[in-house]
Short mmCIF file of all heavy atoms in Angstrom, two decimals:
data_model
loop_
_atom_site.label_atom_id
_atom_site.label_comp_id
_atom_site.label_asym_id
_atom_site.label_seq_id
_atom_site.Cartn_x
_atom_site.Cartn_y
_atom_site.Cartn_z
N MET A 28 -1.56 12.41 -4.57
CA MET A 28 -0.18 12.14 -4.25
C MET A 28 -0.06 11.61 -2.81
O MET A 28 0.75 10.73 -2.55
CB MET A 28 0.67 13.39 -4.43
CG MET A 28 0.91 13.80 -5.85
SD MET A 28 2.00 15.24 -5.90
CE MET A 28 1.71 15.76 -7.54
N ALA A 29 -0.87 12.17 -1.93
CA ALA A 29 -0.82 11.73 -0.54
C ALA A 29 -1.29 10.28 -0.42
O ALA A 29 -0.69 9.49 0.33
CB ALA A 29 -1.68 12.64 0.33
N LYS A 30 -2.34 9.92 -1.16
CA LYS A 30 -2.84 8.53 -1.12
C LYS A 30 -1.77 7.58 -1.60
O LYS A 30 -1.54 6.53 -0.99
CB LYS A 30 -4.10 8.43 -2.00
CG LYS A 30 -4.75 7.04 -2.00
CD LYS A 30 -4.40 6.28 -3.24
CE LYS A 30 -5.16 4.96 -3.29
NZ LYS A 30 -4.59 4.02 -4.23
N LEU A 31 -1.08 7.93 -2.67
CA LEU A 31 -0.03 7.08 -3.22
C LEU A 31 1.11 6.91 -2.21
O LEU A 31 1.54 5.79 -1.93
CB LEU A 31 0.50 7.69 -4.52
CG LEU A 31 1.64 6.98 -5.20
CD1 LEU A 31 1.21 5.61 -5.68
CD2 LEU A 31 2.16 7.81 -6.36
N PHE A 32 1.58 8.01 -1.65
CA PHE A 32 2.68 7.94 -0.69
C PHE A 32 2.31 7.14 0.55
O PHE A 32 3.05 6.26 0.99
CB PHE A 32 3.12 9.35 -0.29
CG PHE A 32 4.22 9.34 0.74
CD1 PHE A 32 5.52 9.12 0.38
CD2 PHE A 32 3.91 9.52 2.08
CE1 PHE A 32 6.52 9.09 1.34
CE2 PHE A 32 4.90 9.50 3.04
CZ PHE A 32 6.22 9.28 2.67
N CYS A 33 1.15 7.45 1.11
CA CYS A 33 0.76 6.81 2.37
C CYS A 33 0.48 5.32 2.22
O CYS A 33 0.87 4.53 3.08
CB CYS A 33 -0.47 7.51 2.96
SG CYS A 33 -0.10 9.18 3.54
N THR A 34 -0.16 4.92 1.13
CA THR A 34 -0.44 3.50 0.95
C THR A 34 0.84 2.71 0.65
O THR A 34 0.98 1.58 1.12
CB THR A 34 -1.49 3.26 -0.14
OG1 THR A 34 -1.05 3.85 -1.37
CG2 THR A 34 -2.84 3.81 0.27
N ASP A 35 1.78 3.31 -0.09
CA ASP A 35 3.06 2.64 -0.32
C ASP A 35 3.84 2.50 0.99
O ASP A 35 4.44 1.48 1.26
CB ASP A 35 3.90 3.38 -1.37
CG ASP A 35 3.47 3.07 -2.78
OD1 ASP A 35 2.70 2.10 -2.99
OD2 ASP A 35 3.93 3.80 -3.70
N ALA A 36 3.81 3.54 1.81
CA ALA A 36 4.49 3.49 3.10
C ALA A 36 3.85 2.44 4.02
O ALA A 36 4.56 1.67 4.68
CB ALA A 36 4.46 4.85 3.77
N ALA A 37 2.52 2.38 4.03
CA ALA A 37 1.82 1.40 4.86
C ALA A 37 2.17 -0.03 4.44
O ALA A 37 2.41 -0.90 5.28
CB ALA A 37 0.31 1.62 4.80
N MET A 38 2.21 -0.26 3.14
CA MET A 38 2.55 -1.59 2.64
C MET A 38 3.98 -1.97 2.99
O MET A 38 4.25 -3.10 3.41
CB MET A 38 2.32 -1.65 1.12
CG MET A 38 2.41 -3.01 0.55
SD MET A 38 1.09 -4.06 1.18
CE MET A 38 1.58 -5.60 0.48
N SER A 39 4.89 -1.03 2.82
CA SER A 39 6.30 -1.29 3.15
C SER A 39 6.47 -1.61 4.63
O SER A 39 7.18 -2.55 5.01
CB SER A 39 7.14 -0.07 2.77
OG SER A 39 8.47 -0.27 3.11
N LEU A 40 5.81 -0.84 5.48
CA LEU A 40 5.90 -1.07 6.92
C LEU A 40 5.27 -2.41 7.32
O LEU A 40 5.81 -3.12 8.17
CB LEU A 40 5.24 0.06 7.69
CG LEU A 40 5.99 1.39 7.65
CD1 LEU A 40 5.13 2.49 8.22
CD2 LEU A 40 7.30 1.29 8.38
N ALA A 41 4.15 -2.75 6.70
CA ALA A 41 3.49 -4.01 7.01
C ALA A 41 4.36 -5.19 6.60
O ALA A 41 4.48 -6.17 7.34
CB ALA A 41 2.13 -4.08 6.32
N ILE A 42 4.98 -5.11 5.43
CA ILE A 42 5.88 -6.19 4.98
C ILE A 42 7.06 -6.32 5.93
O ILE A 42 7.44 -7.44 6.30
CB ILE A 42 6.33 -5.93 3.54
CG1 ILE A 42 5.16 -6.17 2.58
CG2 ILE A 42 7.50 -6.84 3.16
CD1 ILE A 42 5.45 -5.75 1.15
N ASP A 43 7.65 -5.20 6.32
CA ASP A 43 8.78 -5.26 7.26
C ASP A 43 8.38 -5.88 8.59
O ASP A 43 9.11 -6.68 9.17
CB ASP A 43 9.36 -3.85 7.49
CG ASP A 43 10.11 -3.32 6.28
OD1 ASP A 43 10.41 -4.11 5.35
OD2 ASP A 43 10.39 -2.10 6.27
N ALA A 44 7.20 -5.51 9.08
CA ALA A 44 6.73 -6.05 10.36
C ALA A 44 6.52 -7.56 10.28
O ALA A 44 6.89 -8.31 11.18
CB ALA A 44 5.45 -5.36 10.78
N VAL A 45 5.94 -8.02 9.18
CA VAL A 45 5.70 -9.46 8.99
C VAL A 45 7.03 -10.19 8.91
O VAL A 45 7.21 -11.27 9.49
CB VAL A 45 4.83 -9.70 7.74
CG1 VAL A 45 4.84 -11.17 7.34
CG2 VAL A 45 3.41 -9.25 8.00
N GLN A 46 8.01 -9.62 8.21
CA GLN A 46 9.32 -10.25 8.09
C GLN A 46 10.01 -10.33 9.45
O GLN A 46 10.66 -11.33 9.76
CB GLN A 46 10.18 -9.53 7.09
CG GLN A 46 9.73 -9.76 5.66
CD GLN A 46 10.55 -8.98 4.65
OE1 GLN A 46 11.23 -8.02 4.99
NE2 GLN A 46 10.44 -9.39 3.40
N LEU A 47 9.88 -9.29 10.25
CA LEU A 47 10.48 -9.30 11.58
C LEU A 47 9.83 -10.34 12.49
O LEU A 47 10.49 -10.97 13.30
CB LEU A 47 10.36 -7.92 12.22
CG LEU A 47 11.33 -6.87 11.72
CD1 LEU A 47 10.97 -5.50 12.29
CD2 LEU A 47 12.76 -7.22 12.08
N ALA A 48 8.53 -10.52 12.33
CA ALA A 48 7.80 -11.46 13.18
C ALA A 48 8.01 -12.90 12.74
O ALA A 48 7.73 -13.83 13.51
CB ALA A 48 6.31 -11.13 13.17
N GLY A 49 8.48 -13.10 11.51
CA GLY A 49 8.70 -14.47 11.03
C GLY A 49 7.40 -15.19 10.80
O GLY A 49 6.42 -14.61 10.35
N ASP A 50 7.37 -16.47 11.12
CA ASP A 50 6.17 -17.27 10.83
C ASP A 50 4.96 -16.83 11.66
O ASP A 50 3.82 -17.06 11.27
CB ASP A 50 6.44 -18.76 11.05
CG ASP A 50 6.85 -19.09 12.47
OD1 ASP A 50 7.20 -18.17 13.22
OD2 ASP A 50 6.84 -20.29 12.81
N GLU A 51 5.17 -16.18 12.77
CA GLU A 51 4.05 -15.66 13.58
C GLU A 51 3.33 -14.52 12.86
O GLU A 51 2.16 -14.26 13.12
CB GLU A 51 4.55 -15.15 14.94
CG GLU A 51 5.03 -16.24 15.87
CD GLU A 51 3.88 -17.05 16.41
OE1 GLU A 51 2.83 -16.46 16.73
OE2 GLU A 51 4.04 -18.26 16.51
N GLY A 52 4.04 -13.84 11.95
CA GLY A 52 3.48 -12.66 11.29
C GLY A 52 2.36 -12.97 10.33
O GLY A 52 1.52 -12.10 10.07
N MET A 53 2.30 -14.17 9.78
CA MET A 53 1.29 -14.46 8.78
C MET A 53 0.24 -15.47 9.23
O MET A 53 -0.50 -16.01 8.43
CB MET A 53 1.95 -14.98 7.49
CG MET A 53 2.59 -13.87 6.66
SD MET A 53 1.48 -12.51 6.26
CE MET A 53 0.34 -13.28 5.14
N LEU A 54 0.16 -15.74 10.51
CA LEU A 54 -0.89 -16.62 11.01
C LEU A 54 -2.24 -15.93 10.86
O LEU A 54 -2.40 -14.75 11.16
CB LEU A 54 -0.65 -16.96 12.48
CG LEU A 54 0.55 -17.86 12.77
CD1 LEU A 54 0.71 -18.06 14.27
CD2 LEU A 54 0.41 -19.20 12.08
N ALA A 55 -3.20 -16.66 10.36
CA ALA A 55 -4.53 -16.10 10.13
C ALA A 55 -5.12 -15.56 11.42
O ALA A 55 -5.06 -16.20 12.47
CB ALA A 55 -5.45 -17.17 9.55
N GLY A 56 -5.67 -14.37 11.32
CA GLY A 56 -6.31 -13.77 12.47
C GLY A 56 -5.39 -12.95 13.36
O GLY A 56 -5.85 -12.28 14.28
N ARG A 57 -4.10 -12.98 13.08
CA ARG A 57 -3.16 -12.19 13.87
C ARG A 57 -3.14 -10.75 13.36
O ARG A 57 -3.43 -10.48 12.20
CB ARG A 57 -1.75 -12.78 13.78
CG ARG A 57 -1.62 -14.21 14.28
CD ARG A 57 -1.95 -14.35 15.75
NE ARG A 57 -1.07 -13.54 16.56
CZ ARG A 57 -0.29 -14.01 17.53
NH1 ARG A 57 -0.31 -15.28 17.83
NH2 ARG A 57 0.47 -13.20 18.23
N PRO A 58 -2.80 -9.80 14.23
CA PRO A 58 -2.83 -8.38 13.81
C PRO A 58 -1.94 -8.07 12.61
O PRO A 58 -2.35 -7.32 11.72
CB PRO A 58 -2.36 -7.64 15.06
CG PRO A 58 -2.70 -8.53 16.19
CD PRO A 58 -2.54 -9.93 15.67
N LEU A 59 -0.74 -8.62 12.55
CA LEU A 59 0.15 -8.28 11.44
C LEU A 59 -0.40 -8.79 10.11
O LEU A 59 -0.29 -8.10 9.09
CB LEU A 59 1.55 -8.86 11.67
CG LEU A 59 2.35 -8.21 12.79
CD1 LEU A 59 3.72 -8.89 12.93
CD2 LEU A 59 2.54 -6.72 12.56
N GLU A 60 -1.00 -9.95 10.12
CA GLU A 60 -1.59 -10.49 8.91
C GLU A 60 -2.74 -9.59 8.44
O GLU A 60 -2.87 -9.29 7.25
CB GLU A 60 -2.09 -11.93 9.17
CG GLU A 60 -2.66 -12.62 7.95
CD GLU A 60 -4.17 -12.61 7.95
OE1 GLU A 60 -4.77 -12.31 8.98
OE2 GLU A 60 -4.73 -12.90 6.87
N ARG A 61 -3.54 -9.12 9.37
CA ARG A 61 -4.66 -8.23 9.04
C ARG A 61 -4.15 -6.89 8.50
O ARG A 61 -4.68 -6.36 7.53
CB ARG A 61 -5.53 -8.00 10.27
CG ARG A 61 -6.75 -7.14 10.00
CD ARG A 61 -7.66 -7.03 11.21
NE ARG A 61 -6.97 -6.82 12.47
CZ ARG A 61 -6.59 -5.62 12.93
NH1 ARG A 61 -6.86 -4.52 12.22
NH2 ARG A 61 -5.97 -5.49 14.09
N HIS A 62 -3.10 -6.35 9.12
CA HIS A 62 -2.53 -5.08 8.65
C HIS A 62 -1.98 -5.20 7.24
O HIS A 62 -2.12 -4.28 6.42
CB HIS A 62 -1.44 -4.58 9.59
CG HIS A 62 -1.94 -4.14 10.92
ND1 HIS A 62 -2.96 -3.22 11.08
CD2 HIS A 62 -1.57 -4.48 12.17
CE1 HIS A 62 -3.19 -3.04 12.38
NE2 HIS A 62 -2.35 -3.79 13.05
N LEU A 63 -1.34 -6.33 6.93
CA LEU A 63 -0.81 -6.54 5.59
C LEU A 63 -1.94 -6.59 4.57
O LEU A 63 -1.87 -5.96 3.51
CB LEU A 63 0.02 -7.81 5.55
CG LEU A 63 0.73 -8.11 4.22
CD1 LEU A 63 1.76 -7.03 3.92
CD2 LEU A 63 1.40 -9.46 4.27
N ARG A 64 -3.01 -7.32 4.87
CA ARG A 64 -4.16 -7.38 3.96
C ARG A 64 -4.80 -6.01 3.78
O ARG A 64 -5.15 -5.60 2.68
CB ARG A 64 -5.20 -8.37 4.46
CG ARG A 64 -4.85 -9.81 4.19
CD ARG A 64 -5.99 -10.76 4.53
NE ARG A 64 -6.24 -10.80 5.98
CZ ARG A 64 -7.32 -10.33 6.57
NH1 ARG A 64 -8.30 -9.84 5.87
NH2 ARG A 64 -7.45 -10.41 7.88
N ASP A 65 -4.94 -5.27 4.89
CA ASP A 65 -5.56 -3.94 4.81
C ASP A 65 -4.70 -2.97 4.00
O ASP A 65 -5.22 -2.18 3.21
CB ASP A 65 -5.78 -3.37 6.21
CG ASP A 65 -6.86 -4.10 6.98
OD1 ASP A 65 -7.61 -4.90 6.36
OD2 ASP A 65 -6.96 -3.89 8.21
N ALA A 66 -3.38 -3.03 4.18
CA ALA A 66 -2.49 -2.14 3.44
C ALA A 66 -2.57 -2.43 1.94
O ALA A 66 -2.59 -1.50 1.13
CB ALA A 66 -1.04 -2.30 3.94
N LYS A 67 -2.63 -3.71 1.57
CA LYS A 67 -2.74 -4.05 0.15
C LYS A 67 -4.07 -3.57 -0.41
O LYS A 67 -4.14 -3.06 -1.53
CB LYS A 67 -2.59 -5.56 -0.05
CG LYS A 67 -2.46 -5.96 -1.48
CD LYS A 67 -1.24 -5.30 -2.08
CE LYS A 67 -1.07 -5.58 -3.54
NZ LYS A 67 0.02 -4.81 -4.12
N ALA A 68 -5.14 -3.72 0.35
CA ALA A 68 -6.45 -3.25 -0.10
C ALA A 68 -6.45 -1.73 -0.30
O ALA A 68 -7.05 -1.23 -1.27
CB ALA A 68 -7.53 -3.66 0.89
N LEU A 69 -5.77 -1.00 0.56
CA LEU A 69 -5.71 0.45 0.42
C LEU A 69 -4.98 0.87 -0.85
O LEU A 69 -5.29 1.91 -1.42
CB LEU A 69 -5.03 1.07 1.65
CG LEU A 69 -5.85 1.06 2.94
CD1 LEU A 69 -4.99 1.50 4.11
CD2 LEU A 69 -7.08 1.93 2.80
N GLN A 70 -3.99 0.07 -1.27
CA GLN A 70 -3.30 0.40 -2.51
C GLN A 70 -4.21 0.26 -3.72
O GLN A 70 -4.01 0.92 -4.73
CB GLN A 70 -2.08 -0.52 -2.71
CG GLN A 70 -0.90 -0.18 -1.84
CD GLN A 70 0.30 -1.03 -2.17
OE1 GLN A 70 0.19 -2.22 -2.43
NE2 GLN A 70 1.45 -0.41 -2.17
N ILE A 71 -5.21 -0.58 -3.64
CA ILE A 71 -6.10 -0.83 -4.75
C ILE A 71 -7.33 0.08 -4.72
O ILE A 71 -7.84 0.51 -5.76
CB ILE A 71 -6.53 -2.31 -4.76
CG1 ILE A 71 -5.29 -3.19 -4.94
CG2 ILE A 71 -7.56 -2.59 -5.82
CD1 ILE A 71 -5.54 -4.65 -4.67
N TYR A 72 -7.80 0.42 -3.53
CA TYR A 72 -9.03 1.20 -3.36
C TYR A 72 -8.89 2.57 -4.01
O TYR A 72 -7.84 3.20 -3.92
CB TYR A 72 -9.31 1.33 -1.86
CG TYR A 72 -10.58 2.06 -1.53
CD1 TYR A 72 -11.81 1.49 -1.82
CD2 TYR A 72 -10.55 3.29 -0.93
CE1 TYR A 72 -12.98 2.15 -1.50
CE2 TYR A 72 -11.71 3.95 -0.60
CZ TYR A 72 -12.92 3.38 -0.89
OH TYR A 72 -14.08 4.03 -0.60
N GLU A 73 -9.94 3.04 -4.64
CA GLU A 73 -9.99 4.35 -5.33
C GLU A 73 -8.92 4.49 -6.38
O GLU A 73 -8.31 5.54 -6.54
CB GLU A 73 -9.89 5.50 -4.32
CG GLU A 73 -11.13 5.68 -3.49
CD GLU A 73 -11.09 6.94 -2.65
OE1 GLU A 73 -10.29 7.83 -2.94
OE2 GLU A 73 -11.88 7.00 -1.70
N GLY A 74 -8.66 3.44 -7.13
CA GLY A 74 -7.67 3.47 -8.19
C GLY A 74 -6.36 2.90 -7.70
O GLY A 74 -5.85 3.32 -6.66
N SER A 75 -5.85 1.92 -8.43
CA SER A 75 -4.61 1.29 -7.99
C SER A 75 -3.47 2.32 -8.01
O SER A 75 -3.53 3.34 -8.69
CB SER A 75 -4.26 0.11 -8.88
OG SER A 75 -3.84 0.55 -10.15
N ASN A 76 -2.42 2.02 -7.27
CA ASN A 76 -1.30 2.93 -7.20
C ASN A 76 -0.62 3.11 -8.56
O ASN A 76 -0.10 4.18 -8.86
CB ASN A 76 -0.29 2.46 -6.15
CG ASN A 76 -0.74 2.83 -4.76
OD1 ASN A 76 -1.86 3.28 -4.54
ND2 ASN A 76 0.13 2.63 -3.77
N GLN A 77 -0.64 2.09 -9.40
CA GLN A 77 -0.06 2.22 -10.73
C GLN A 77 -0.84 3.26 -11.55
O GLN A 77 -0.24 4.09 -12.25
CB GLN A 77 -0.05 0.87 -11.47
CG GLN A 77 0.95 -0.12 -10.93
CD GLN A 77 0.41 -0.88 -9.72
OE1 GLN A 77 -0.76 -0.79 -9.37
NE2 GLN A 77 1.29 -1.62 -9.07
N VAL A 78 -2.16 3.22 -11.45
CA VAL A 78 -2.99 4.20 -12.16
C VAL A 78 -2.76 5.58 -11.58
O VAL A 78 -2.65 6.58 -12.31
CB VAL A 78 -4.48 3.80 -12.10
CG1 VAL A 78 -5.35 4.90 -12.69
CG2 VAL A 78 -4.71 2.49 -12.82
N GLN A 79 -2.65 5.67 -10.27
CA GLN A 79 -2.39 6.95 -9.62
C GLN A 79 -1.07 7.55 -10.11
O GLN A 79 -0.98 8.76 -10.35
CB GLN A 79 -2.36 6.80 -8.09
CG GLN A 79 -3.68 6.44 -7.48
CD GLN A 79 -4.68 7.57 -7.56
OE1 GLN A 79 -4.34 8.73 -7.48
NE2 GLN A 79 -5.94 7.23 -7.75
N ARG A 80 -0.05 6.73 -10.28
CA ARG A 80 1.24 7.22 -10.77
C ARG A 80 1.10 7.77 -12.19
O ARG A 80 1.70 8.81 -12.51
CB ARG A 80 2.27 6.09 -10.76
CG ARG A 80 2.82 5.79 -9.40
CD ARG A 80 3.92 4.71 -9.46
NE ARG A 80 4.41 4.42 -8.12
CZ ARG A 80 3.90 3.48 -7.34
NH1 ARG A 80 2.92 2.71 -7.76
NH2 ARG A 80 4.39 3.29 -6.13
N MET A 81 0.33 7.10 -13.03
CA MET A 81 0.14 7.59 -14.40
C MET A 81 -0.62 8.91 -14.40
O MET A 81 -0.27 9.83 -15.15
CB MET A 81 -0.59 6.55 -15.23
CG MET A 81 0.23 5.33 -15.53
SD MET A 81 -0.45 4.18 -16.73
CE MET A 81 -2.17 4.11 -16.34
N VAL A 82 -1.63 9.04 -13.57
CA VAL A 82 -2.41 10.29 -13.49
C VAL A 82 -1.52 11.43 -13.00
O VAL A 82 -1.55 12.53 -13.56
CB VAL A 82 -3.64 10.10 -12.58
CG1 VAL A 82 -4.31 11.42 -12.28
CG2 VAL A 82 -4.61 9.12 -13.20
N ILE A 83 -0.74 11.18 -11.98
CA ILE A 83 0.15 12.21 -11.43
C ILE A 83 1.18 12.62 -12.48
O ILE A 83 1.45 13.82 -12.69
CB ILE A 83 0.83 11.73 -10.14
CG1 ILE A 83 -0.22 11.60 -9.02
CG2 ILE A 83 1.95 12.67 -9.71
CD1 ILE A 83 0.27 10.83 -7.82
N ALA A 84 1.79 11.65 -13.16
CA ALA A 84 2.79 11.95 -14.18
C ALA A 84 2.18 12.77 -15.31
O ALA A 84 2.79 13.76 -15.78
CB ALA A 84 3.40 10.67 -14.73
N ARG A 85 0.98 12.41 -15.74
CA ARG A 85 0.32 13.15 -16.82
C ARG A 85 0.06 14.59 -16.40
O ARG A 85 0.31 15.54 -17.16
CB ARG A 85 -0.98 12.47 -17.20
CG ARG A 85 -1.67 13.14 -18.38
CD ARG A 85 -2.96 12.45 -18.79
NE ARG A 85 -3.89 12.43 -17.68
CZ ARG A 85 -4.58 11.36 -17.32
NH1 ARG A 85 -4.45 10.22 -17.96
NH2 ARG A 85 -5.41 11.43 -16.30
N ASP A 86 -0.40 14.78 -15.16
CA ASP A 86 -0.65 16.15 -14.68
C ASP A 86 0.63 16.95 -14.56
O ASP A 86 0.65 18.13 -14.87
CB ASP A 86 -1.38 16.11 -13.34
CG ASP A 86 -2.83 15.66 -13.47
OD1 ASP A 86 -3.35 15.61 -14.60
OD2 ASP A 86 -3.42 15.34 -12.43
N LEU A 87 1.71 16.32 -14.11
CA LEU A 87 2.98 17.02 -13.99
C LEU A 87 3.53 17.39 -15.36
O LEU A 87 4.08 18.50 -15.53
CB LEU A 87 3.99 16.16 -13.22
CG LEU A 87 3.73 15.99 -11.74
CD1 LEU A 87 4.72 15.00 -11.14
CD2 LEU A 87 3.81 17.33 -11.01
N LEU A 88 3.41 16.51 -16.33
CA LEU A 88 3.89 16.82 -17.67
C LEU A 88 3.06 17.93 -18.32
O LEU A 88 3.59 18.79 -19.03
CB LEU A 88 3.85 15.57 -18.55
CG LEU A 88 4.91 14.51 -18.23
CD1 LEU A 88 4.64 13.23 -19.03
CD2 LEU A 88 6.30 15.04 -18.50
N ARG A 89 1.76 17.91 -18.06
CA ARG A 89 0.87 18.94 -18.59
C ARG A 89 1.20 20.30 -17.97
O ARG A 89 1.14 21.33 -18.64
CB ARG A 89 -0.57 18.56 -18.32
CG ARG A 89 -1.54 19.19 -19.27
CD ARG A 89 -2.95 18.77 -19.01
NE ARG A 89 -3.12 17.34 -19.33
CZ ARG A 89 -4.07 16.57 -18.86
NH1 ARG A 89 -4.96 17.08 -18.03
NH2 ARG A 89 -4.18 15.31 -19.22
N ALA A 90 1.52 20.31 -16.68
CA ALA A 90 1.79 21.57 -15.97
C ALA A 90 3.17 22.12 -16.31
O ALA A 90 3.41 23.33 -16.18
CB ALA A 90 1.67 21.37 -14.46
N GLY A 91 4.10 21.23 -16.67
CA GLY A 91 5.50 21.61 -16.89
C GLY A 91 5.73 22.28 -18.17
O GLY A 91 6.38 23.14 -18.50
#
């Protein structure tokens, strides 16, 4: 659950930062562009967030 929450928060913050920076935010090699790529990779690493949601829901339904 922590992985799901933190990676979604990181992606949301990275998108907001890029939008605030405008065209400077997505220039190759710039920090914001790297943070956005890293945040997206974290959502996929060790099981995508969609799969994590299904696993969490299944466990909650089983426990309930």
